[in-house]
Amino acid sequence: MTETAVVVTGHSRGIGAAIAHELLARDISVLAIARHGNAELAKRFGSGLHEVRLDLSDAPAVAHWLGTGTMRDFLAEAKLAALVNNAGLLQPIGPLETQDTVLVGQAATVNVAAALMCSAAFVSATRGARDRRILHISSGAGRKAYAGWSVYCATKAALDHHARAVALDRTPRLRINSLAPGIIETQMQAEIRASTPEKFPDHERFVTMKREGRLHDVKEAGQLIVELLLSDGFGKEPVSELQWPA
Ligand SMILES: NC(=O)c1ccc[n+]([C@@H]2O[C@H](COP(=O)([O-])OP(=O)(O)OC[C@H]3O[C@@H](n4cnc5c(N)ncnc54)[C@H](OP(=O)(O)O)[C@@H]3O)[C@@H](O)[C@H]2O)c1
């Protein structure tokens, strides 16, 4: 029986790529979902990586794919089965009157609807697993409000509250955690710096953090997140922050 198998969304770059890399480096099979593939991971790890090209902003497409049984088949033999809901969108940045409604819908669907749909399907697909774990990659923005980030803040708060409520369900052999990972140098941070103080008043703070080298390294983020995911203490609290070494 496969010991551990993990589904990761948003593995094509950034934190999701680092998480998938760390899992694969530990010989853990990964089913990875994004719109783009990750050629580097595929070349390096070959058959351990199972890639699915799926647009998580398209809820009917997500429902259709979940109905294909691909996730169920992938997880069928796992003793420890995990789902990492990592894919996320920051846009639209700016107050309501500037927000493109299509982008609002896409962010709400990727950040919340797809994650909740995958979570429900994951639990149905893992009835035979001894240990089941769901990790939402949330954000400090789900806990503290920022001007210009209303959509992002609301969607991340939704993940946190989903985890709290799921934990109360006491689903057998299921643990859940919604994790704020800290500020990590990825394309999403570049997007923040490319915005303007008019749309995002805290803009300068993020520019300064980058200039002063205060952003966390994405590879290290992947390592710490995987350590947490596989740890005995995983899911002790439904909502938490990633602990970085001092
Ligand atoms: N970086 C930070 O400082 C930070 C801080 C707190 C929380 N987070 C959270 O961490 C997670 C990863 O962020 P990141 O910084 O690594 O961002 P990123 O570099 O922009 O990567 C985002 C990932 O999400 C996937 N994704 C976006 N839209 C998608 C869609 N429609 N369908 C499928 N996949 C989609 C992308 O894949 P495709 O484009 O190939 O589809 C990509 O792999 C996000 O949930 C973010 O909110 C990041």
Side-chain angles (χ1 to χ4, degrees):
M1 184 183 251
T2 313
E3 291 294 317
T4 305
V6 183
V7 179
V8 179
T9 66
H11 74 297
S12 58
R13 60 174 189 267
I15 298 169
I19 293 170
H21 183 284
E22 181 63 21
L23 290 165
L24 290 161
R26 295 177 184 226
D27 277 334
I28 292 171
S29 298
V30 174
L31 177 66
I33 305 165
R35 289 168 301 181
H36 305 90
N38 187 321
E40 200 185 316
L41 288 182
K43 190 173 170 202
R44 181 148 181 199
F45 295 105
S47 61
L49 176 68
H50 307 257
E51 291 187 284
V52 173
R53 306 273 177 109
L54 181 62
D55 183 351
L56 294 169
S57 73
D58 181 346
V62 175
H64 174 78
W65 180 77
L66 291 171
T68 63
T70 305
M71 183 157 79
R72 181 185 302 273
D73 293 346
F74 172 75
L75 296 168
E77 303 295 323
K79 287 183 192 163
L80 192 165
L83 166 67
V84 182
N85 286 310
N86 162 81
L89 291 171
L90 176 62
Q91 303 290 348
I93 297 175
L96 285 175
E97 66 274 18
T98 70
Q99 292 175 5
D100 177 331
T101 55
V102 172
L103 295 185
V104 174
Q106 286 175 348
T109 308
V110 174
N111 295 7
V112 185
L116 273 49
M117 292 164 80
C118 288
S119 299
F122 170 81
V123 169
S124 295
T126 54
R127 290 200 181 99
R130 290 182 199 164
D131 187 340
R132 313 187 276 179
R133 304 179 180 201
I134 296 174
L135 174 62
H136 294 326
I137 303 299
S138 180
S139 167
R143 299 157 201 180
K144 177 183 184 304
Y146 289 86
W149 281 6
S150 57
V151 175
Y152 188 67
C153 289
T155 58
K156 293 302 185 180
L159 288 182
D160 287 357
H161 222 43
H162 178 260
R164 291 185 188 100
V166 168
L168 295 177
D169 285 336
R170 301 195 177 282
T171 304
R173 294 166 282 103
L174 177 72
R175 298 189 241 174
I176 188 163
N177 178 243
S178 188
L179 181 75
I183 299 176
I184 299 153
E185 179 60 321
T186 64
Q187 188 171 309
M188 193 174 275
Q189 285 298 322
E191 267 179 52
I192 295 170
R193 294 192 295 273
S195 72
T196 60
E198 290 71 40
K199 286 196 158 182
F200 178 52
D202 274 337
H203 177 261
E204 184 54 30
R205 190 161 70 81
F206 284 80
V207 171
T208 304
M209 277 192 289
K210 164 73 174 169
R211 195 172 52 235
E212 295 177 350
R214 285 158 50 208
L215 300 184
H216 291 303
D217 174 65
V218 71
K219 187 164 187 280
E220 198 180 351
Q223 291 165 346
L224 290 173
I225 291 169
V226 168
E227 258 167 46
L228 175 76
L229 178 68
L230 302 178
S231 69
D232 290 343
F234 178 80
K236 205 170 165 205
E237 299 296 334
V239 172
S240 71
E241 285 175 18
L242 188 62
Q243 298 304 311
W244 287 84

